Amino acid sequence: MSDRVYPSTKPSGADAPAAANGGANPTFPANKAQLYNPTRLPYRPQPPPRRRHRRGCCCSCCLWITTAILLTLLLAAIAGAVFYVFYRPHRPSFSVNTLQLSRFNLTDTHLTSAFNFSLTARNPNKRITFFYDQISVKILSAGDVDIGDGSFPGFTHGRKNVTTLRAVISSSNNPFPEGTDISQLKSSLRSRNLPLKIQLDTKVKVKLGKIETKKLKIRVTCDGIRISIPTGKTATLATTSNVKCKVDPRIKIIKWTV
C-alpha cells in the first residue's frame, strides 16, 4: 500500500516573506531598465573619424608639375633646333696677324716697351652681325707680368666679314705694381727670348635679323707666342703660325666671373 505525502504546515522559504508581509506582492531587485531612464536612447559607440587621404592629391600635383616641366623642355628643345637650323650660329674667331717688338727696356722697378700688333677678326655667320665696344689689349709675359697695354676702337662686324685691326701696344717707363714678382721675366730677358700672352677684353652685342641681344662681356686669349729681344733699332717679329686664340664669354654670377 503506497504512502501518502501531506504538505507541511510551515511555510517554505520562498513563501515566508509573503506571509510575513500579510500576503503583499513580493519585491525583487531592480533590473537595468529600471536603473536607467527608459526614454534614453541606448549608447552606441561612434566609428572613428575617417582620415582624409592627401596622398592622391599630392601625386596628382606632382604628375601635373612633371608633365608641365617636360612639356616646357620639349618646346624649348624644338625652338632651339629651329633656331640652330635657321641661323647656324658660330662664334667669331680671332687670330694674331703680326706682332713686332721694337723696344724693350727692363729695370728693377720700371719697364719700357713698344709692340706693333695686328689682329684679324672673322665672322663666319650668314645671318648674324656683331657690334663690338672698344677692345682693351694687354700683353703678358713670364709670371703674367703686364708688359704692354693698348686698345682697338669699337667696330661693327658684318656677316661673312673679315676685319683687320692694328694698334701700338706699349708701356712708357711705367712702374710695376707693388708686390709684382719679375724674377721670371728677368730670367727670360737673360735668354733674350720672351714668352707672350695677349689678352683682349670687350663687350659685344649680337643682332639676329631684327632681334638684338644685350651686351655680353667676352675675353679673347692668344697664348703660345714667343719673341726675341731686339738689338739696336731693328724690330723683332714674333712667331705666330701656331698661335690659337680662344674666345670665352665672361658671365658674372654674384661675385664670381665664369
Side-chain angles (χ1 to χ4, degrees):
M1 187 172 178
S2 62
D3 295 333
R4 294 182 180 181
V5 179
Y6 296 96
S8 175
T9 57
K10 294 182 179 180
S12 62
D15 296 334
N21 294 332
N25 292 330
T27 60
F28 300 96
N31 54 22
K32 290 184 179 181
Q34 292 173 338
L35 292 175
Y36 298 96
N37 188 357
T39 60
R40 183 178 178 180
L41 295 176
Y43 171 76
R44 293 180 182 177
Q46 298 294 327
R50 296 182 180 180
R51 296 181 179 178
R52 295 181 180 179
H53 297 282
R54 298 182 180 178
R55 183 176 299 176
C57 181
C58 292
C59 291
S60 299
C61 291
C62 292
L63 179 61
W64 280 109
I65 293 173
T66 304
T67 304
I69 293 175
L70 293 177
L71 183 60
T72 303
L73 293 177
L74 178 61
L75 294 176
I78 294 173
V82 172
F83 172 83
Y84 180 80
V85 170
F86 184 77
Y87 286 103
R88 295 282 181 176
H90 297 280
R91 290 184 179 185
S93 62
F94 298 85
S95 60
V96 178
N97 192 9
T98 58
L99 180 65
Q100 292 180 334
L101 177 60
S102 58
R103 184 171 67 255
F104 192 86
N105 184 22
L106 176 67
T107 65
D108 291 337
T109 57
H110 292 74
L111 172 68
T112 301
S113 65
F115 295 87
N116 294 317
F117 179 37
S118 176
L119 180 75
T120 301
R122 293 179 176 85
N123 179 10
N125 297 282
K126 294 180 179 180
R127 296 183 174 89
I128 300 176
T129 302
F130 298 99
F131 299 90
Y132 294 96
D133 286 356
Q134 180 177 329
I135 303 172
S136 65
V137 183
K138 182 182 295 184
I139 297 180
L140 307 174
S141 188
D144 282 342
V145 178
D146 186 358
I147 61 173
D149 297 279
S151 64
F152 294 125
F155 68 99
T156 299
H157 208 181
R159 295 170 289 182
K160 301 293 289 184
N161 177 264
V162 178
T163 301
T164 301
L165 306 172
R166 294 180 176 85
V168 175
I169 313 300
S170 62
S171 176
S172 302
N173 201 26
N174 293 334
F176 291 109
E178 186 178 354
T180 302
D181 184 9
I182 61 173
S183 58
Q184 297 184 37
L185 183 58
K186 286 184 176 181
S187 176
S188 299
L189 185 61
R190 285 193 293 269
S191 65
R192 311 295 297 178
N193 198 324
L194 292 177
L196 302 179
K197 179 171 67 174
I198 302 175
Q199 186 173 289
L200 299 91
D201 291 286
T202 185
K203 291 182 179 180
V204 60
K205 181 172 64 175
V206 183
K207 183 178 181 181
L208 308 93
K210 295 183 179 180
I211 302 174
E212 292 187 3
T213 66
K214 293 183 178 181
K215 292 182 179 181
L216 174 68
K217 291 183 179 181
I218 64 169
R219 170 171 289 180
V220 181
T221 304
C222 305
D223 204 354
I225 306 171
R226 301 195 73 88
I227 195 169
S228 300
I229 303 297
T231 56
K233 296 182 179 180
T234 304
T236 57
L237 185 65
T239 304
T240 60
S241 57
N242 296 324
V243 175
K244 295 182 179 180
C245 296
K246 182 180 179 183
V247 182
D248 293 315
R250 305 283 290 173
I251 302 173
K252 191 172 183 180
I253 303 175
I254 307 176
K255 293 184 179 181
W256 296 277
T257 302
V258 179

